[in-house]
């Protein structure tokens, strides 16, 4: 039996083809009477798949030549796909929906070539079909091994693939094991994929196996390329604590870090003094100078850019940089000299910023503090800790300035949400044992206000110099969402305008803290706001009420910073 699919498509694509009815097309292709039913079935299938068109007077017509574009494929839970095309000269950036039967064997993250069937409009995404998978994002996946009717299967985690893979070869694995598979054939719309089990991680429910499964299923790279590791080791070998050339010496300053008790790295430090003549506050924010050890374009830089962020898991961290950088040279550890980028800010007693100065510096952290330790110092009802009096006094002065800055921010209209963060508790074996809400008190506010002040000072400086930079913006809310929020809180008894202003939103947020519905109100307010984002465009940060704002923190954890 000839391959009617190829035969028909070849005829439709031939130069000079004239649309004809199925019987005439079959006769022109030499299809005999006994094979006509199979020919008709194949023709129907091609039309259903969109590879041929049934036109006027039931004539068979070729599908018009379609524009070609490239983009990243994302598989939906229902089997269909979505492709966001890359912007180039031939085709603008756009989103296209891909029906399941036209998505070929593409999987989430793959770079694909698509044929555009319907261009997107202002109100609707376009549609397309996948022509070719240009680059596979991943060929190994984590999943759970199971057996059904004497056939072995693996169900991949996170609904990446709706259907399980048929196992064609396997090392010794038992039902319920978490395993790693290597895909040998990716699934089609109505056909299972095929895979080989290459590694057994452990039993489902084992915390170590579960964590490793998450890492593998998300394709998080645990190991660094040798070139990047070599650069990190070279940086450690070349570093000398007494080499302060070109840096201001802050090593005798009373400098602290304040971090969670389980912090894996320390990327910012603070110091505060007061001018005895003017009584002006002099605040120093020291940010770890990662760039000193990671030149632009180096192997370390390329690898960090590819990773984008560090990944924090319950029992480990997968860093953006090798540990020689992230946990050593660029971590502001207690008692050792570390390189920093420093912002010196001078504030009046009322908290008005009067001057800023930036420099490359070197510090020696006097004390690595936790939020809990700082809370004990700031909470007058708790007996004083065993910290030296000099540190206790300095922390209380820091808190005084932080609360002044906080009050000024609120006076400008900053909208502050109180949504307690849920923290999962684990037992000694790594199993979940409970949960609690994280505390957010004055110790956290102290660091927040100083980092906000630093970010604003840098953004204002760059704006004055008209130097382009990546801003952190938060656009004003959509009026329709604000109207919905107003209706919701009005039903709870809060007086509010039909489309509330920023001061009204701030007032509702503060008033609700005295009531049991506070979390509901704050969550509804969060839902009414737009997402914050990075952009070079000059726009305000609505929630913080800052005209100029950026994220200037040490890029140990997030490359955009």
């Amino acid at each position: 039996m000839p391959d009617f699919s190829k035969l028909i498509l070849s005829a439709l694509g031939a130069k000079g083809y004239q649309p004809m009815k199925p019987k005439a097309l079959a006769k022109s292709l030499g299809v005999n009477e006994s094979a006509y039913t199979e020919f008709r079935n194949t023709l129907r299938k091609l039309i259903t798949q969109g590879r041929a068109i049934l036109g006027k007077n039931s004539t068979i017509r070729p599908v018009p030549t379609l524009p070609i574009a490239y983009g990243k494929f994302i598989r939906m839970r229902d089997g269909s796909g979505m492709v966001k095309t890359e912007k180039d000269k031939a085709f603008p950036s756009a989103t296209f929906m891909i029906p399941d039967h036209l998505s070929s064997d593409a999987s989430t993250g793959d770079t694909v070539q698509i044929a555009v069937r319907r261009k997107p409009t202002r109100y609707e995404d376009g549609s397309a079909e996948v022509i070719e998978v240009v680059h596979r994002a991943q060929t190994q996946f984590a999943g759970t091994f199971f057996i059904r009717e004497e056939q072995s299967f693996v169900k991949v985690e996170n609904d990446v693939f709706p259907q399980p893979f048929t196992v064609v070869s396997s090392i010794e694995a038992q039902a319920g094991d978490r395993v790693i598979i290597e895909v040998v054939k990716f699934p089609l719309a109505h056909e299972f994929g095929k895979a080989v089990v290459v590694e057994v991680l452990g039993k489902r429910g084992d915390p170590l196996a579960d964590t490793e499964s998450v890492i593998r299923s998300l394709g998080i790279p645990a190991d660094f390329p040798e070139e990047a590791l070599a650069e990190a080791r070279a940086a450690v070998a070349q570093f000398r604590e007494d080499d302060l050339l070109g840096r201001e010496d802050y090593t005798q300053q009373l400098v602290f870090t304040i971090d969670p008790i389980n912090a894996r790295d320390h990327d910012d430090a603070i110091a505060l003094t007061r001018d005895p003549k003017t009584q002006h506050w002099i605040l120093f924010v020291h940010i770890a100078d990662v760039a000193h050890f990671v030149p632009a374009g180096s192997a370390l830089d390329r690898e960090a850019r590819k990773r984008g962020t560090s990944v924090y898991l319950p029992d480990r961290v997968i860093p953006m940089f090798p540990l020689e950088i992230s946990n050593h040279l660029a971590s502001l550890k207690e008692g050792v000299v570390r390189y920093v980028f420093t912002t010196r800010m001078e504030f009046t007693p009322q908290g008005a910023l009067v001057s800023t100065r930036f420099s490359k510096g070197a510090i020696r952290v006097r004390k690595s503090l936790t939020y809990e330790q700082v809370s004990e110092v700031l909470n007058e009802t708790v007996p004083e800790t065993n910290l030296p009096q000099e540190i206790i006094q300095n922390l209380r002065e820091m808190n005084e300035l932080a609360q002044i800055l906080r009050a000024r921010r609120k006076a400008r209209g900053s909208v502050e949400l109180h949504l307690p963060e849920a923290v999962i508790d684990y037992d000694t074996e790594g199993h979940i044992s409970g949960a609690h809400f994280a505390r957010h008190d004055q110790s956290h506010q102290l660091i927040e206000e100083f980092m906000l002040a630093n970010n604003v000072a840098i953004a204002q400086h760059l704006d004055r110099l008209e130097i382009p930079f990546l801003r952190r913006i938060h656009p004003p809310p959509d009026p329709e969402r604000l109207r919905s929020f107003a209706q919701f809180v009005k039903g709870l008894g809060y007086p509010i305008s039909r489309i509330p202003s920023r001061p009204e939103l701030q007032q509702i947020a503060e008033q609700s803290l005295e009531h049991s519905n506070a979390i509901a109100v704050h969550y509804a307010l969060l839902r009414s706001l737009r997402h914050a984002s990075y952009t070079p465009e000059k726009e305000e940060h609505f929630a913080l009420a800052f005209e100029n704002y950026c994220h200037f923190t040490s890029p140990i954890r997030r490359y955009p910073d």
Side-chain angles (χ1 to χ4, degrees):
M1 187 75 70
D3 185 339
F4 287 133
S5 180
K6 284 186 178 179
L7 203 61
I8 293 168
L9 291 175
S10 178
L12 296 181
K15 189 175 181 180
Y17 170 79
Q18 293 297 318
M20 58 184 80
K21 294 186 177 183
K23 279 246 184 214
L25 179 58
K27 186 176 180 181
S28 72
L29 294 174
V31 178
N32 57 41
E33 196 68 34
S34 62
Y36 183 68
T37 299
E38 181 65 27
F39 173 84
R40 282 288 298 240
N41 290 338
T42 302
L43 193 54
R44 285 194 189 99
K45 187 176 179 181
L46 290 174
I47 293 170
T48 302
Q49 292 175 344
R51 300 170 73 186
I53 295 175
L54 184 63
K56 189 177 180 181
N57 298 323
S58 298
T59 55
I60 308 303
R61 299 168 182 267
V63 176
T65 303
L66 303 174
I68 299 299
Y70 295 85
K72 294 284 187 185
F73 182 87
I74 298 174
R75 178 76 68 178
M76 308 296 188
R77 288 189 176 184
D78 64 0
S80 64
M82 180 178 73
V83 171
K84 189 170 179 64
T85 57
E86 301 164 2
K87 188 173 183 179
D88 57 32
K89 293 180 182 177
F91 210 87
S93 177
T95 300
F96 296 89
M97 304 310 296
I98 316 289
D100 191 9
H101 67 279
L102 296 180
S103 61
S104 185
D105 63 350
S107 65
T108 296
D110 290 350
T111 300
V112 296
Q113 181 190 60
I114 61 171
V116 176
R117 292 181 161 275
R118 188 187 72 244
K119 292 184 179 181
T121 67
R122 181 179 176 185
Y123 304 102
E124 189 178 13
D125 292 332
S127 66
E129 66 175 291
V130 173
I131 302 300
E132 181 186 0
V133 176
V134 178
H135 174 72
R136 290 284 183 196
Q138 201 174 342
T139 58
Q140 287 196 350
F141 300 89
T144 302
F145 183 87
F146 68 95
I147 299 172
R148 183 174 295 160
E149 296 179 357
E150 299 185 358
Q151 173 63 57
S152 298
F153 298 92
V154 169
K155 181 67 177 76
V156 171
E157 312 290 346
N158 296 333
D159 295 324
V160 176
F161 301 97
Q163 301 299 327
F165 281 84
T166 302
V167 175
V168 296
S169 178
S170 174
I171 59 175
E172 189 172 339
Q174 297 179 349
D177 281 351
R178 291 291 181 99
V179 298
I180 301 298
I181 60 169
E182 178 78 38
V183 175
V184 296
K185 186 177 186 302
F186 280 83
L188 295 167
H190 304 292
E191 186 179 336
F192 283 6
K194 296 178 180 179
V196 175
V197 174
V198 295
E199 186 179 352
V200 176
L201 302 177
K203 279 292 178 188
R204 186 180 183 90
D206 174 7
L208 292 178
D210 288 346
T211 300
E212 191 63 32
S213 177
V214 170
I215 293 170
R216 301 292 191 90
S217 64
L218 295 175
I220 301 170
D223 300 320
F224 287 88
E226 183 53 40
E227 188 181 3
L229 291 172
E231 287 183 359
R233 289 191 288 264
V236 173
Q238 294 165 10
F239 179 73
R240 287 176 32 221
E241 288 197 16
D242 61 350
D243 181 10
L244 305 185
L245 185 64
R247 294 183 175 273
E248 289 202 32
D249 186 351
Y250 297 111
T251 56
Q252 302 306 309
Q253 196 176 55
L254 184 59
V255 178
F256 312 128
T257 59
I258 303 176
D259 291 291
I261 196 167
N262 57 350
R264 288 3 184 321
D265 44 53
H266 309 275
D267 53 12
D268 51 61
I270 53 176
L272 182 70
T273 62
R274 203 155 189 183
D275 187 307
K277 293 182 179 178
T278 63
Q279 288 301 297
H280 283 192
W281 304 95
I282 312 296
L283 173 65
F284 296 84
V285 174
H286 302 290
I287 302 295
D289 189 358
V290 181
H292 178 84
F293 306 104
V294 185
S298 63
L300 283 169
D301 181 52
R302 294 195 303 272
E303 184 65 16
R305 179 188 287 266
K306 184 171 72 175
R307 291 174 181 239
T309 65
S310 295
V311 179
Y312 291 83
L313 297 157
D315 63 345
R316 76 189 81 172
V317 59
I318 301 175
M320 195 171 73
F321 293 108
L323 292 178
E324 290 89 343
I325 303 295
S326 62
N327 202 36
H328 182 44
L329 291 182
S331 186
L332 307 182
K333 295 186 173 183
E334 182 179 321
V336 295
V337 173
R338 287 292 179 262
Y339 291 166
V340 292
F341 192 90
T342 298
T343 305
R344 178 190 183 276
M345 292 166 277
E346 182 177 352
F347 297 92
T348 67
Q350 294 76 35
L353 181 64
V354 293
S355 72
T356 56
R357 186 165 63 83
F358 308 99
S359 64
K360 288 189 174 183
I363 64 170
R364 181 184 282 108
V365 171
R366 189 78 59 88
K367 190 70 178 174
S368 292
L369 298 169
T370 67
Y371 286 121
E372 290 77 10
Q373 286 177 300
V374 176
S375 291
E376 288 184 1
V377 171
L378 301 183
N379 188 348
E380 299 289 347
T381 63
V382 177
E384 291 186 356
T385 66
N386 57 1
L387 291 173
Q389 190 58 40
E390 179 186 28
I391 292 178
I392 291 172
Q393 181 59 33
N394 200 228
L395 284 172
R396 288 178 175 162
E397 290 173 349
M398 287 180 172
N399 185 54
E400 184 181 348
L401 174 59
Q403 295 306 317
I404 290 172
L405 296 178
R406 181 178 169 81
R408 289 178 67 89
R409 182 163 59 84
K410 285 191 171 186
R412 283 196 308 273
S414 179
V415 179
E416 190 166 73
L417 298 178
H418 292 265
L419 295 168
E421 178 188 356
V423 179
I424 305 298
D425 300 322
Y426 300 89
D427 61 22
T428 54
E429 295 180 354
H431 295 97
I432 294 175
S433 60
H436 66 278
F437 284 129
R439 290 179 61 187
H440 189 274
D441 56 21
Q442 289 186 339
S443 64
H444 298 78
Q445 293 167 8
L446 187 158
I447 288 295
E448 283 177 2
E449 293 304 327
F450 289 177
M451 294 305 141
L452 289 175
N454 181 48
N455 292 343
V456 171
I458 290 171
Q460 289 177 340
H461 177 72
L462 294 173
D463 187 62
R464 278 195 300 270
L465 296 178
E466 298 184 350
I467 297 174
F469 64 99
L470 203 58
R471 298 169 184 267
R472 181 71 169 170
I473 68 159
H474 186 211
D478 176 77
E480 281 301 316
R481 290 197 170 191
L482 282 182
R483 192 176 286 114
S484 296
F485 172 74
Q487 289 175 348
F488 171 70
V489 296
K490 200 167 188 177
L492 296 175
Y494 295 95
I496 192 169
S497 302
R498 188 162 170 264
I499 300 180
S501 63
R502 180 158 54 190
E504 282 185 283
L505 295 177
Q506 182 192 52
Q507 187 177 23
I508 292 293
E510 291 181 352
Q511 284 179 353
S512 66
L513 292 176
E514 302 172 5
H515 303 281
S516 58
N517 57 25
I519 292 179
V521 171
H522 283 239
Y523 182 72
L525 178 52
L526 175 67
R527 297 275 295 175
S528 73
L529 301 176
R530 298 181 193 268
H531 292 294
S533 61
Y534 294 95
T535 178
E537 302 298 325
K538 185 174 182 178
E539 294 184 38
E540 72 164 344
H541 195 293
F542 176 84
L544 293 175
F546 289 141
E547 182 181 350
N548 288 299
Y549 185 67
C550 67
H551 262 189
F552 189 83
T553 56
S554 178
I556 292 178
R557 302 186 185 106
R558 293 185 298 269
Y559 193 91
D561 292 344

